[in-house]
Amino acid sequence: MTAVPDSNFAMALMRPRSLNPTKMLGRIFVYGCLVVLAALFLAPLASMVMTSLKSMDEIRSGTLLSVPQAPTIEAWASVWSSACISIACGGLKGYFGNSFLIAVPATLISVGLGALNGYVFSTRRFQGDNILFGLILFGCFIPFQIVLIPMAGLLGMLGLAGTIPGLVLVHVVYGVCFTTMFFRNYFVTVPAEIFKAARVDGAGFWAIFFRILLPISWPIVMVSIIWQFTGVWNDFLFGVSFAAGSNQPVTVAVNNLVNTSTGTKAYNEDMAAAMIAALPTIVIYVAAGRYFLRGLMAGAVKG
Amino acid sequence: MTLSKRIQAALPAFVLSPSLAAIAICVYGFIAYTALLSFTGSKMFAKFDFVGLRQYERLFDNPRWITAVENMAIFGGLYVVVATCLGLYIAVLIDQKIRLEGVFRAIFLYPMALSFVVTGVIWQWLLNPGLGLEHMVRSLGWQSFTFQWLVEPDWAIYTIVIAGVWQVTGFVMALFLAGLRGVDTEILRAARVDGAPVHKVYTRIVIPALRPVFLTAFVIEAHLAIKSYDLVVALTKGGPGVSTELPSTFMYSMTFTRNELGVGAASATVMLTSLAAIIVPYLYSELRDDRRA
Amino acid sequence: MKSTFASLAIAAALSASVSGFALAQDSVEVLHWWTSGGEAAAVGVLKDDLQKQGVGWQDMPVAGGGGEAANTALKARVTSGNPPTAAQLLGMAVNEWSEEGLLGDLTSVADQEGWGTVVPDAIKNFAVHDGKWQAVPVNIHRPNWLWINAKVFKDNGLEPPKTWDEFNAVADKLKEKGIVPLAHGGQPWQDTTVFDDVVLGIGGPEFYKKAILELDDAALKSDTMVKVFDQMRKIRGYVDPNFSGRDWNLATAMVLKGEAAMQLMGDWAKGEIVKANLTPGVDILCVTAPGTEGSFLFNTDFFAMFPVGDSKLAAQHKLAASVMSPSFQEAFNLVKGSIPARTDVSGDKFDACAKKSMGDLKSAVSSGRLLGSLAHGHAEPAGIQRAMFDVVTQHFNSDMSSKDAAAALVTAINAAR
Amino acid sequence: MANLGISHVTKSFGSLAVLKDIKISIEDGEFLVLVGPSGCGKSTLLSIIAGLEEHTSGTITIDGRPVDGLEPKERDIAMVFQSYALYPAMTVEQNIGFSLEMSKMPKAERVERVGKVADLLQISHLLKRRPGQLSGGQRQRVAMGRALVREPKIFLFDEPLSNLDAKLRVEMRTEIKRLHQRLGATIVYVTHDQIEAMTMATRIAVMKDGVLQQFGTPENIYDRPANVFVATFMGSPPMNLLPATVVDGASGPRLSLKGTDVTLPLPSSVTARLAPGSDVLLGLRPEWLSLAMEGASANPTLTLHVDVIEPTGPDVFVALRAGEREIMARLPTGTPICPGEKRAFALDLSKAVVFDAATGVAH
């Protein structure tokens, strides 16, 4: 595993380690700006976490960013396993599982298909290949609201209405546009001679893909997985439209929990629910952020 | 040709075909279907009674749509400009060989990981005068502090910009950071030898070299702006009044809430057309000459 | 390794969905937006009731925006040819679904159970189309209530206002004392709830019928309508600055805590009152909205029945019959805060406000003053209703003149037709 | 090992012809170098031999068997690429053994073959490393190993030394030549470097603009270039070309050098009958000039102005001037000569070549 390459600029720009006063001021300025910005970016998350650890009484009396006086994970516990969503009082945990059952296959399938598509687009030239690729790319940009109704009809025809495989299918279809783009842009940076060498060595279509290309593709695989998993996990519109009650993903459940029309608002529970729903994706971003950057460098950004 | 050769030759097409079929139906088929519906008098469900351009007339006669388009211009413009500048600025800061770079990166990136349900809940809180920022500052002693953008019809759209920028800036930063790390160091050394101060090196050499990244960032931001829907629903539900209505929320409410499928389809068609106007030239320039021989 | 994991995940997903579909033959799937608090408890009542009859309950809750998300989900379900057994719909929505020919038929059960005689006509009109029962009413809500914090009024020596002029006088006094006169949440439906009350209170039932139910141009443009908007402008001055986007229950909480004195809201506000250990009618007074005494605005939640296969018809009929049974209507509405949709249920167990509601309902039925609420989907189809929302809420949130607002109302309605 | 035949091969993209009617054939064990400036079509021709690209018409035979339309793996060839094209994710061992693995050779045999090749190339200690951990020269060896291990009928090299520094390049050049001699393998080698071509080849094919200019042994190409292009492309410094006119002399036609009053006898190599008055170019390699010894030589002499002297170690390149024209001579180190002098130079016309001034073709 290689870390993200060191900063070019710093290396090129830094004078030998003589910290003159201007230099010091510069460093203080840089760190000052970063810390202020980071605090601003973190404030929403911090207020969520702190609110989720307070009791309702404390929430009513304090402010958003006050530190909980008597931290309690009651709200978390309740939201996870016992809060009532309509008549079901099992908390979010079941829906959490649904989200995994949707997001994991949808991510793997769309990343797999995208890798193969990108492979074909980057290594085979055929009539109209660029136009075809452009058409796929445009699919990235389609607003999802407009596909809800026709997609519902299609799922019905396929007999997948209301099911988890149906949702997986929907996410794969719209995810494949992105993954194809990612992989194609990555694969065109692989030197053509590698493919030629592999052909001379007798490697066929699949051997080139699995033995030669895939092992060097992990940066872009990571980007695609992060992108897809986050997208599918956070989806609400498809989930609410295409999943039957017991198959609903966690976002829909959180919405049902938070968006009450007549219940009292339990803000600590709302925040805990929001946090629980966001945890897997936050963890992925924090843990794999550097790979995300690497992958972007390796292909997603043209520079 | 032998059978196995034929299979080999057909493999690429075979590999592509499922995705192509799915996209042909689920992207272009559905777009065509929507475009078709925009010429019908459909109300609750699709009905193929063609009414010509009537739905487009109704669309542009609708003050709500006009507001939505104006808001789009304000929101889209600010969103793109602010996110690009802030993202670039943070990327440059992070690129100054700082300690804890990974931590800072994670902090700026994490909002991308949150869904709108979550984002909306937080920002509704933070921006609400009675609960959030204003309340907090006042309780710290500054009694006359006011921050009421969320509830002022003329200002509410800017709260959407704030939340939107907060969410996307990390991604833009990552793009720029990746771009910065790809700039040729030789040029930078040369600039140093020529005696250019650091900020000049950035403004005169580095940032111009990032032109392709600007383009990528612009396209990503622009399409996110046009697709923005979740944020508005979560934060203001289009209010106060209709002051934060966007084309996407307009389209959704016409189609699903008001049972005006025809008008909704017309607005979707207008949206798609403007989206294509942005995306197609970009795709064209991207794909024209980046194929290796 | 990866592929094995993928296939495992797919297999798991498949089995999960299959089990999700493996409903007992005798079961119903109900789409609704009652996800929490009293609403969810009320659904629980129905579920238990059906379970006793051996009918399973497949829950399909979709919360948010007074059923907007649920409506999207419902459209997707119906389009995919997989409608739920029943879905919660408001009155006009039942009409719209019925006009699309997408609802089932309950007439056989209705005749057998004799629903025709016990449901008020104004409500029956939404449930019955072309002589066929297609939906069953669960409750009757009354949106034209004014909720008053009794202590605040007593402390300030105020009497509940009976007309809008009195309301203004009371509000001015409260404002002087530094108390928010009216707790309000700036959402289109809440704005329009107030608007309904003002139209009915200033124009009277005949004007409401003409302007709101019949969309009579002359009435909409009349001076009365201008006066209505004048009053709306006044009311805008009686709410606190942070009203925008506020949920109704937070506004109610303001009244309960005495931060605000009054709220114009439907009787579902009782749930909040009870939860705060206060007594409706005692701690928090319930009076009809100013000038609307003798009239009864209503909104009713229906369970609209979708055509399901013969195999599920029996369960669907059991569901309908259950909903309409006096015992369920009583149990459900006790929890929900509304009153039964059938008029032959005893009000003994209900609170003071509900009792008044039941009495007012009877007299309104006989005087023809039982009127569908615009804000709550019992006056106009969604397209027109929302177009009117737009005008009302835009006027409320800007400095638009009353005349312009009345004119805009006409334009918006015509554009939406 | 096998012979290779390329007959009437053309390749075009639409109306653009990149290869025009190429005819080359070499025997078993020969070392063919395709040389020419970039864009001359040499790499395309190599790709066609490899089966990586398809030609438009013509036939390629390997070992007498037509291979047109066959996949690279069916042609029994191996190839070494300019960028080495090592598989980044595989170890050296896996890289070398990959083709054997693809042909489903049993593991034990594979390991043995890889080991043998690694020994031969002295890279046994690198077998567990990945390409990223190797130096340029090591990568080059691995790329060779990958080709050697297959024991193919023909080896194809696509500018394999151009990414190495000068010293390594010379070393590897020798090494490749040694391998060739040891294995007796048939090799097709593409380069734009004429020294590589001269030093390694047993046969050279010089190409320009998709057209084969000359095909022959290195000596042949060097001494008897078929045209002006070959004459100037091969050899460094390039062959001097002196404009001249054919004039009638007592013992037959002579060449009158333009801008001088010198006339020279026609070189013996010229077989064609040259009409008096026709314009020609007299081709002289720099080493065919020498300082004229006082009255000793039978060779004709030419008095030239000494302009610049460039010592290279064993030799001295001397830039000479005859009027406007510059002429290079290659003299042994130690030749007593100074810039600014006028000296008489003897011309060895026994090897001189005469080209038609208009067409550039050798007479």
Side-chain angles (χ1 to χ4, degrees), chain B residues 7 18 24 32 39 55 145 168 173 194 210 228-229 231 244 267:
Chain B
I7 291 173
F39 298 108
Q55 302 290 23
F145 179 83
V168 82
M173 172 211 71
D194 289 346
L210 294 178
S228 272
Y229 159 79
L231 216 52
T244 51
S267 67

Side-chain angles (χ1 to χ4, degrees), chain A residues 122-192:
Chain A
S122 61
T123 55
R124 304 289 164 124
R125 303 206 70 165
F126 47 90
Q127 198 72 37
D129 53 352
N130 267 351
I131 294 175
L132 209 53
F133 178 61
L135 287 173
I136 291 182
L137 273 196
F138 189 73
C140 295
F141 302 119
I142 189 169
F144 291 151
Q145 298 93 341
I146 82 161
V147 304
L148 284 186
I149 291 298
M151 185 50 101
L154 184 68
L155 289 178
M157 270 190 264
L158 297 175
L160 293 173
T163 66
I164 285 180
L167 259 179
V168 169
L169 176 74
V170 175
H171 285 298
V172 166
V173 168
Y174 296 105
V176 118
C177 301
F178 283 99
T179 54
T180 300
M181 171 182 75
F182 289 147
F183 279 99
R184 183 265 186 194
N185 284 355
Y186 181 79
F187 288 155
V188 289
T189 64
V190 176

Side-chain angles (χ1 to χ4, degrees), chain C residues 12-288:
Chain C
L14 280 169
S15 65
S17 68
V18 168
S19 67
F21 250 164
L23 308 178
Q25 279 264 306
D26 258 8
S27 80
V28 290
E29 188 188 10
V30 182
L31 193 155
H32 63 89
W33 58 85
W34 288 329
T35 54
S36 61
E39 297 174 329
V43 176
V45 172
L46 185 52
K47 179 199 159 199
D48 293 344
D49 200 24
L50 282 169
Q51 222 147 35
K52 274 181 224 142
Q53 303 174 48
V55 178
W57 177 276
Q58 181 79 11
D59 208 29
M60 172 74 187
V62 179
E68 280 185 32
N71 196 25
T72 306
L74 182 59
K75 279 186 185 169
R77 290 291 299 268
V78 171
T79 307
S80 70
N82 177 32
T85 316
Q88 179 186 3
L89 289 178
L90 291 172
M92 288 309 292
V94 180
N95 284 5
E96 291 184 71
W97 282 93
S98 169
E99 279 162 25
E100 295 284 335
L102 291 167
L103 296 185
D105 187 359
L106 296 169
T107 315
S108 58
V109 202
D111 291 348
Q112 199 180 325
E113 307 261 329
W115 298 343
T117 54
V118 293
V119 176
D121 282 348
I123 290 163
K124 206 158 64 184
N125 287 342
F126 289 111
V128 181
H129 297 92
D130 298 332
K132 282 190 288 190
W133 278 82
Q134 299 194 301
V136 284
V138 185
N139 55 16
I140 297 175
H141 275 301
R142 186 180 196 186
N144 60 325
W145 282 117
L146 180 66
W147 305 92
I148 295 174
N149 184 311
K151 187 169 177 300
V152 171
F153 263 51
K154 208 173 138 199
D155 290 352
N156 291 288
L158 299 171
E159 284 295 315
K162 296 224 155 42
T163 65
W164 281 106
D165 288 338
E166 286 181 34
F167 176 89
N168 295 342
V170 166
D172 286 335
K173 271 186 202 150
L174 286 163
K175 215 174 163 184
E176 268 167 43
K177 298 258 161 95
I179 299 166
V180 177
L182 188 70
H184 181 65
Q187 294 169 338
W189 71 268
Q190 294 190 53
D191 296 341
T192 311
T193 301
V194 175
F195 178 74
D196 281 356
D197 293 344
V198 178
V199 172
L200 185 59
I202 287 181
E206 287 313 310
F207 179 75
Y208 186 91
K209 266 187 213 165
K210 271 246 170 301
I212 304 295
L213 300 182
E214 293 162 20
L215 301 178
D216 178 73
D217 257 21
L220 287 167
K221 278 191 232 166
S222 65
D223 289 346
T224 314
M225 190 52 86
V226 174
K227 272 186 212 147
V228 167
F229 278 110
D230 285 344
Q231 178 60 33
M232 290 299 287
R233 175 64 66 239
K234 278 218 161 82
I235 292 172
R236 174 68 175 79
Y238 296 142
V239 304
D240 69 308
N242 297 336
F243 75 101
S244 193
R246 177 188 286 146
D247 287 323
W248 69 268
N249 49 326
L250 293 178
T252 307
M254 290 169 69
V255 178
L256 302 184
K257 282 190 251 169
E259 291 167 15
M262 302 178 277
Q263 184 187 18
L264 286 158
M265 188 45 62
D267 44 19
W268 47 90
K270 275 192 299 189
E272 294 289 298
I273 300 169
V274 172
K275 211 171 294 164
N277 291 319
L278 299 173
T279 312
V282 179
D283 302 309
I284 304 296
L285 307 177
C286 45
V287 300
T288 45

Side-chain angles (χ1 to χ4, degrees), chain B:
Chain B
M1 269 207 279
T2 64
L3 184 64
S4 79
K5 266 195 164 169
R6 270 170 209 236
I7 291 173
Q8 279 284 328
L11 266 178
F14 176 75
V15 162
L16 281 186
S17 50
S19 308
L20 291 182
I23 288 166
I25 296 169
C26 300
V27 175
Y28 295 97
F30 291 175
I31 288 177
Y33 175 79
T34 304
L36 191 66
L37 282 185
S38 71
F39 298 108
T40 69
S42 300
K43 284 285 191 187
M44 194 164 179
F45 284 97
K47 252 192 320 226
F48 292 96
D49 53 336
F50 290 94
V51 295
L53 292 173
R54 174 95 188 92
Q55 302 290 23
Y56 289 91
E57 286 166 21
R58 292 181 68 198
L59 176 66
F60 284 98
D61 280 345
N62 193 322
R64 202 178 169 105
W65 171 252
I66 305 300
T67 310
V69 171
E70 287 167 359
N71 280 340
M72 187 66 236
I74 298 174
F75 168 74
L78 280 174
Y79 178 81
V80 168
V81 170
V82 177
T84 307
C85 294
L86 193 59
L88 177 61
Y89 183 61
I90 296 176
V92 169
L93 286 180
I94 286 200
D95 201 43
Q96 301 304 312
K97 201 161 199 185
I98 54 153
R99 279 171 213 281
L100 298 175
E101 181 188 320
V103 174
F104 279 113
R105 268 203 325 253
I107 289 173
F108 294 118
L109 262 181
Y110 88 90
M112 274 294 282
L114 304 182
S115 73
F116 88 94
V117 178
V118 178
T119 316
V121 170
I122 311 176
W123 283 101
Q124 228 176 2
W125 257 60
L126 281 178
L127 298 171
N128 186 301
L131 296 168
L133 202 60
E134 184 181 288
H135 177 66
M136 202 178 89
V137 175
R138 285 188 178 180
S139 67
L140 290 176
W142 183 0
Q143 284 299 328
S144 60
F145 179 83
T146 49
F147 186 78
Q148 308 214 333
W149 287 10
L150 191 66
V151 297
E152 297 274 345
D154 291 342
W155 287 95
I157 188 74
Y158 300 104
T159 64
I160 311 274
V161 176
I162 292 178
V165 164
W166 173 77
Q167 193 164 35
V168 82
T169 294
F171 186 71
V172 178
M173 172 211 71
L175 286 176
F176 277 115
L177 202 51
L180 283 173
R181 305 259 154 109
V183 174
D184 184 9
T185 1
E186 290 275 300
I187 307 174
L188 299 168
R189 287 178 209 271
R192 270 290 311 290
V193 171
D194 289 346
V198 174
H199 68 272
K200 276 257 165 71
V201 173
Y202 275 101
T203 53
R204 302 289 295 280
I205 299 171
V206 175
I207 290 170
L210 294 178
R211 207 189 68 93
V213 186
F214 276 97
L215 198 62
T216 306
F218 170 76
V219 169
I220 287 174
E221 290 160 355
H223 102 266
L224 283 177
I226 291 179
K227 275 165 91 171
S228 272
Y229 159 79
D230 301 353
L231 216 52
V232 178
V233 170
L235 200 52
T236 62
K237 302 194 168 62
V242 295
S243 56
T244 51
E245 183 85 314
L246 289 178
S248 52
T249 55
F250 178 92
M251 186 250 140
Y252 182 86
S253 93
M254 279 296 160
T255 309
F256 294 104
T257 310
R258 302 185 179 208
N259 300 330
E260 292 276 11
L261 191 51
V263 180
S267 67
T269 309
V270 172
M271 274 172 73
L272 279 170
T273 314
S274 48
L275 202 57
I278 293 175
I279 301 300
V280 170
Y282 168 73
L283 290 185
Y284 181 76
S285 74
E286 277 284 273
L287 297 177
R288 201 182 32 186
D289 49 19
D290 70 342
R291 291 291 297 247
R292 61 158 179 257

Side-chain angles (χ1 to χ4, degrees), chain A residues 48-124:
Chain A
M48 271 175 89
V49 173
M50 286 193 267
T51 306
S52 73
L53 295 175
K54 290 176 191 169
S55 67
M56 273 310 287
D57 289 340
E58 201 185 333
I59 290 170
R60 289 197 193 93
S61 59
T63 66
L64 277 180
L65 284 169
S66 57
V67 178
Q69 298 302 306
T72 165
I73 56 158
E74 224 169 276
W76 286 69
S78 143
V79 161
W80 177 249
S81 57
S82 66
C84 294
I85 295 164
S86 181
I87 51 161
C89 293
L92 290 179
K93 61 178 188 286
Y95 302 98
F96 205 76
N98 284 344
S99 275
F100 271 108
L101 286 177
I102 297 163
V104 171
T107 303
L108 293 179
I109 295 171
S110 59
V111 170
L113 278 176
L116 284 170
N117 292 343
Y119 168 50
V120 171
F121 275 114
S122 61
T123 55
R124 304 289 164 124

